[in-house]
Amino acid sequence: MRASVLLKSSLLTSLFVISSCATTKYSEDISKNDYSNLEAGKMYTVMMKDGSKNQKMLFRNVDGDNLIGTAGKKDSAEVIIPKAKVAAVRDSRKAGITAGAAVIGAAGVAAIVLSSSRAD
């Protein structure tokens, strides 16, 4: 009985975490990549193909072959990232929500397992 409850709750938690993914990955062929899902005024973390440090930016627009934004809401330093160097873009806000949801889900699973083990 206990293993069945644990298995079901684990599957539900993993399904929830997977369905709320916050990262958009891009291919090597930049002509196939669609940057229309990026919204102006939102913070994004841009992961680079060359393995260099991830860059956080307040996205402004796409200009030709570059992503344009600022270093942050309070820092107005302009950030220009070539599309050819972008491996993936993560929405910072959604990533935080996903992490919080995973913690809450794990706590729920622990509570279910604990209560089912006491019921036996």
Side-chain angles (χ1 to χ4, degrees), residues 20-23 43 45 90-102:
S20 60
C21 189
T23 302
M43 285 296 291
T45 302
R90 178 179 295 145
D91 184 339
S92 300
R93 185 173 174 271
K94 285 183 183 176
I97 291 170
T98 302

Side-chain angles (χ1 to χ4, degrees), residues 10-23:
S10 298
L11 286 173
L12 285 174
T13 302
S14 61
L15 179 65
F16 177 73
V17 170
I18 290 169
S19 68
S20 60
C21 189
T23 302

Side-chain angles (χ1 to χ4, degrees), residues 64-109:
D65 289 335
N66 297 316
L67 301 178
I68 311 247
T70 57
K73 293 183 180 184
K74 295 180 181 177
D75 186 358
S76 61
E78 187 173 56
V79 175
I80 299 173
I81 302 172
K83 289 180 186 178
K85 292 186 176 183
V86 175
V89 176
R90 178 179 295 145
D91 184 339
S92 300
R93 185 173 174 271
K94 285 183 183 176
I97 291 170
T98 302
V103 169
I104 291 170
V109 168

Side-chain angles (χ1 to χ4, degrees), residues 27-35 65 83:
S27 69
E28 293 289 328
D29 185 5
I30 62 172
S31 64
K32 293 182 180 179
N33 293 334
D34 180 22
Y35 293 92
D65 289 335
K83 289 180 186 178

Side-chain angles (χ1 to χ4, degrees), residues 35-44 58-62 68:
Y35 293 92
S36 65
N37 59 339
L38 300 177
E39 296 179 33
K42 280 191 158 186
M43 285 296 291
Y44 292 99
L58 181 65
F59 180 72
R60 197 168 56 207
N61 64 352
V62 176
I68 311 247

